[in-house]
Amino acid sequence: MTEQASQKHWYAVHTYSGYENKVKQNLEKRLESMNMQDLIFRIVIPEEEEISIKDGKKKSTIKKTFPGYVLVELVMTDESWYVVRNTPGVTGFVGAQGAGVKPNPLLPDEIKFILKQMGMAEKTIDVDVEIGEQIKVIGGPFKNNIGAIKTIDEEKFKLTVLVEMFGRETPVEVEFDQIEKL
């Protein structure tokens, strides 16, 4: 496998109109049942919150930014391509030049823009910490607290840290970029 092929990239997948949620569910089930978690990482439906005011009341609705499309972060291999391509509701990859030809990934600037619009700015923070390790919180509302790591959620780039508050250990959620090793 070449260096380029072993890297994960974002791809746009075309779905039947109105099937975006179903495709996401189907794809999540398939990657679990076919043990593809090391090749297929995140599945995102591009959507944003739309706020409207009607009769003096604020109403919030979620609107699909690109109806008929789902974004998938994966390492492009024959297996991952086959699993996504043959998921019920998927009509194909965007950027595939003919049948049987693997598509081009989205450009880094494109995916950064889309995720930022959704409030999911792409993060590439890699923190080398372990559960139970003592850390210092360096940002956010819990700044300057010291605590032990209880859980690590790599997908959401968050940690649960036990800090002492009011004379007892209290779990607080912080982001990877808000901590430093002691």
Side-chain angles (χ1 to χ4, degrees):
M1 200 179 320
T2 66
E3 175 61 31
Q4 185 66 19
S6 67
Q7 292 180 352
K8 61 184 175 180
H9 295 285
W10 284 93
Y11 294 86
V13 176
H14 193 259
T15 70
Y16 292 119
S17 184
Y19 276 71
E20 302 88 354
N21 293 343
K22 196 74 179 149
V23 165
K24 181 178 179 182
Q25 286 176 338
N26 287 340
L27 198 46
E28 286 169 345
K29 285 180 191 162
R30 285 175 62 102
L31 76 96
E32 186 99 3
S33 67
M34 299 174 94
N35 208 17
M36 301 290 289
Q37 295 93 330
D38 57 338
L39 293 175
I40 302 173
F41 304 97
R42 291 188 279 175
I43 302 142
V44 174
I45 299 169
E47 50 193 13
E48 59 189 5
E49 187 176 22
E50 197 172 70
I51 296 171
S52 58
I53 298 174
K54 192 173 185 180
D55 301 327
K57 292 186 176 146
K58 199 168 161 183
K59 185 182 175 200
S60 169
T61 54
I62 300 296
K63 184 180 132 236
K64 292 191 175 26
T65 314
F66 301 111
Y69 294 93
V70 173
L71 303 179
V72 182
E73 184 183 35
L74 57 84
V75 174
M76 183 57 75
T77 65
D78 289 341
E79 298 87 6
S80 63
W81 179 71
Y82 179 85
V83 167
V84 174
R85 178 72 189 87
N86 291 292
T87 297
V90 170
T91 60
F93 278 90
V94 174
Q97 317 288 298
V101 178
K102 292 203 176 85
N104 294 320
L106 293 170
L107 297 171
D109 288 345
E110 292 172 325
I111 193 63
K112 275 184 190 153
F113 177 79
I114 293 167
L115 293 177
K116 188 175 179 190
Q117 290 291 106
M118 295 174 58
M120 296 174 58
E122 180 74 337
K123 296 183 181 182
T124 55
I125 301 162
D126 187 19
V127 178
D128 183 25
V129 291
E130 296 175 6
I131 291 176
E133 189 170 341
Q134 291 284 316
I135 55 95
K136 179 179 183 181
V137 181
I138 57 168
F142 305 105
K143 187 176 181 174
N144 297 326
N145 279 293
I146 293 175
I149 297 172
K150 183 179 179 190
T151 64
I152 300 171
D153 186 341
E154 291 184 22
E155 279 187 23
K156 294 181 181 168
F157 298 94
K158 294 191 179 207
L159 306 152
T160 303
V161 180
L162 295 173
V163 297
E164 192 164 315
M165 273 190 220
F166 310 115
R168 63 185 184 121
E169 279 190 332
T170 305
V172 297
E173 194 173 73
V174 295
E175 298 199 16
F176 281 7
D177 60 355
Q178 294 178 321
I179 66 156
E180 71 181 10
K181 286 178 132 187
L182 287 180

